[in-house]
């Protein structure tokens, strides 16, 4: 079995590569050219995966990588994935996160229409939610250029499935985190800063909207759902989440409890971190994935946040930060 992962250097790409290698796959990854290599998340896998330079902005590079690798499965995880950046760089976000999906689907049509395709869609598409909890039939109302781009990526995947009979699936994943999460996202920002406060390196944590609520799960659990979607008999779309919602304040309470401190003495709200339009509350209804794929999340929110804080403390003790 041969799989190609775009975004292999990202959080999900690294967990998915591990997951597929454990199942005996030959794993290939797309990396974009950079003046310095930033392969930290996959450094432990470097001799087990094959990396290819290509870019979601460059149609021919995608066609060539598919011709070279001849994959049976393509997981399209690459994107400009940070919501605030999408207001600063809305056009680039659209190019990567929206049109990049069409480029990959066109490459599949040109090279091998039998390839099974996974698109990394997002609960950000629900935005200003129309109902709670959100399922596969809940209408979208995105609240950021990123969310709008993901809606395009979702519907172009559905459209190519219906127009060209491709095995193209869209996983509507709710927030998922891990010790490998980028430090700009709120869970990792909190775990990292709590670890630095624990180590006496800093004393304050600036935060935005404390009341925002998310359905947060563990990335290692969610990559299994991606794989299951491509093993199904028919290509369908699935909501993947836990069904449990927590607030940013609750996240902070857990992280500071792990370091034995009172969060109120360290956390300050910074209005500059509020978003032009906010997604206030997301909550998944993952019952279709449970029923049809047999998928269940394993790690709880609290377990995950405590693990993230402990991992960051170890990193700081080892000299990071
Ligand atoms: P991430 O850590 O930000 O990783 C994004 C990856 O995309 C990186 O490997 C990045 O490469 C790559 N990339 C960006 N632009 C590219 C381009 N033009 N060409 C090739 N590669 C490019 O994101 P993640 O958390 O793993 O998320 C994976 C996917 O799931 C993303 O599409 C994200 O939008 C979506 N998603 C994530 C969540 C979540 O909670 N994590 C939830 C729903 C959906 P570099 O290393 O070179 O930057
Ligand atoms: O961690 P976040 O930046 O994640 P967000 O915006 O929900 O997006 C993530 O999940 C999406 C799935 O729904 C993915 F598609 C997307 O790629 C990404 O992985 O922010 C979570 C919440 C927001 O409401 C934000 O306003 O936390 C709030 N928040 C409060 N203070 C903060 C901060 N977020 C960040 N990043 N930094 C803060 O200081």
């Amino acid at each position: 079995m041969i799989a190609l992962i775009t975004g292999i250097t990202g959080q999900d790409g690294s967990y998915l590569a591990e997951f597929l290698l454990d199942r005996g796959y030959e794993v290939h990854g797309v990396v974009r050219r950079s003046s310095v290599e930033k392969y930290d998340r996959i450094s432990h896998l470097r001799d087990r995966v094959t990396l290819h330079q290509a870019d979601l902005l460059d149609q021919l590079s995608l066609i060539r990588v598919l011709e070279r690798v001849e994959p049976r499965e393509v997981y399209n995880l690459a994107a400009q994935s940070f919501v605030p950046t999408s207001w600063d760089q809305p056009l680039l976000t659209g190019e990567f996160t929206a049109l990049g999906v069409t480029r990959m689907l066109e490459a599949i049509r040109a090279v091998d229409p039998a390839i099974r395709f996974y698109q990394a869609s997002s609960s950000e598409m629900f935005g200003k939610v129309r109902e709670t909890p959100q399922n596969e039939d809940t209408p979208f109302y995105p609240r950021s250029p990123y969310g709008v781009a993901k809606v395009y990526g979702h519907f172009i995947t559905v459209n190519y499935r219906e127009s060209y009979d491709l095995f193209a699936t869209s996983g509507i994943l709710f927030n998922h985190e891990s010790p490998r999460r980028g430090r700009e996202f709120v869970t990792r920002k909190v775990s990292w800063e709590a670890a630095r406060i624990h180590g006496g390196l800093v004393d304050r944590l600036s935060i935005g909207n404390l009341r925002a609520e998310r359905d947060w799960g563990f990335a290692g659990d969610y990559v299994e759902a991606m794989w299951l979607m491509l093993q199904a008999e028919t290509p369908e779309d699935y909501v993947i989440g836990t069904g449990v919602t927590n607030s940013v304040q609750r996240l902070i309470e857990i992280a500071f409890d792990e370091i034995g401190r009172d969060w109120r003495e360290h956390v300050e709200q910074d209005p500059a971190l509020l978003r032009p339009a906010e997604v206030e509350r997301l909550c998944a209804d993952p019952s279709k994935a449970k029923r049809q794929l047999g998928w269940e999340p394993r790690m709880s929110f609290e377990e995950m946040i405590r693990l993230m804080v402990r991992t960051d403390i170890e990193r700081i003790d080892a000299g990071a930060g």
Side-chain angles (χ1 to χ4, degrees), residues 81-84 122-124 146 150 173-175 177 181 184-187 189 206-210 212 214 216 248 273 275 278-279 282:
S81 73
F82 189 47
V83 171
S122 165
S123 53
E124 270 288 309
Y146 168 83
K150 282 288 180 186
L173 270 55
F174 283 61
N175 300 50
E177 320 292 312
R181 187 60 144 152
E184 67 273 42
F185 299 95
V186 74
T187 55
K189 178 177 174 178
S206 291
I207 207 78
N209 182 4
L210 278 172
R214 290 291 184 277
W216 276 295
V248 171
L273 293 170
R275 297 178 179 187
E278 176 64 293
V279 173
L282 292 173

Side-chain angles (χ1 to χ4, degrees), residues 17-248:
E18 278 171 12
F19 179 91
L20 295 174
L21 286 168
D22 283 351
R23 270 152 195 80
Y25 276 71
E26 180 181 316
V27 176
H28 296 255
V30 167
V31 291
R32 51 183 171 162
R33 198 264 157 190
S34 162
S35 63
V36 276
E37 287 190 356
K38 295 171 293 175
Y39 301 159
D40 303 359
R41 293 188 180 105
I42 51 167
S43 54
H44 59 299
L45 306 173
R46 273 306 290 277
D47 55 348
R48 300 173 66 204
V49 298
T50 310
L51 302 181
H52 305 265
Q53 267 189 22
D55 201 299
L56 287 182
L57 299 182
D58 189 296
Q59 180 74 68
L60 275 180
S61 71
L62 299 177
I63 290 174
R64 288 199 192 103
V65 78
L66 290 186
E67 285 173 346
R68 215 173 305 136
V69 173
E70 297 182 13
R72 178 172 185 272
E73 298 173 6
V74 169
Y75 296 86
N76 185 38
L77 309 186
Q80 189 304 93
S81 73
F82 189 47
V83 171
T85 296
S86 76
W87 278 286
D88 295 334
Q89 300 176 4
L91 298 179
L92 192 65
T93 300
E95 285 287 350
F96 283 3
T97 306
L99 283 178
V101 186
T102 313
R103 291 191 192 97
M104 185 50 93
L105 286 163
E106 278 296 314
I108 287 173
R109 285 187 65 216
V111 175
D112 179 5
I115 289 171
R116 294 186 169 211
F117 176 76
Y118 172 85
Q119 167 57 17
S121 291
S122 165
S123 53
E124 270 288 309
M125 301 190 303
F126 295 123
K128 191 172 177 179
V129 297
R130 306 284 88 189
E131 63 181 358
T132 296
Q134 295 86 49
N135 63 33
E136 292 76 7
D137 298 321
T138 303
F140 299 135
Y141 193 140
R143 294 275 279 171
S144 61
Y146 168 83
V148 174
K150 282 288 180 186
V151 171
Y152 175 93
H154 170 79
F155 277 125
I156 202 71
T157 301
V158 173
N159 181 261
Y160 270 49
R161 175 170 77 219
E162 294 174 355
S163 303
Y164 304 116
D165 205 22
L166 297 184
F167 195 108
T169 65
S170 172
I172 305 173
L173 270 55
F174 283 61
N175 300 50
H176 44 280
E177 320 292 312
S178 73
R180 296 183 201 165
R181 187 60 144 152
R183 290 210 302 243
E184 67 273 42
F185 299 95
V186 74
T187 55
R188 184 74 201 295
K189 178 177 174 178
V190 169
S191 71
W192 178 250
E193 294 304 327
R196 296 214 306 154
I197 289 169
H198 175 75
L201 301 178
V202 292
D203 191 49
R204 316 296 301 166
L205 162 62
S206 291
I207 207 78
N209 182 4
L210 278 172
R211 288 190 318 276
E213 293 175 273
R214 290 291 184 277
D215 179 331
W216 276 295
F218 173 56
D221 292 343
Y222 285 36
V223 297
E224 183 187 13
M226 300 175 188
W227 175 76
L228 285 168
M229 287 172 60
L230 292 198
Q231 313 315 309
E233 262 180 37
T234 52
E236 292 183 36
D237 308 322
Y238 295 89
V239 158
I240 303 296
T242 67
V244 178
T245 296
N246 283 281
S247 66
V248 171

Side-chain angles (χ1 to χ4, degrees), residues 190-204 255-256 258-261 266 309-310 312-321:
V190 169
S191 71
W192 178 250
E193 294 304 327
R196 296 214 306 154
I197 289 169
H198 175 75
L201 301 178
V202 292
D203 191 49
R204 316 296 301 166
F256 279 74
E258 186 61 29
I259 60 166
R261 305 270 188 130
H266 300 278
V309 174
R310 285 197 302 275
D312 278 333
I313 289 172
E314 282 166 20
R315 286 174 173 141
I316 282 165
D317 287 349

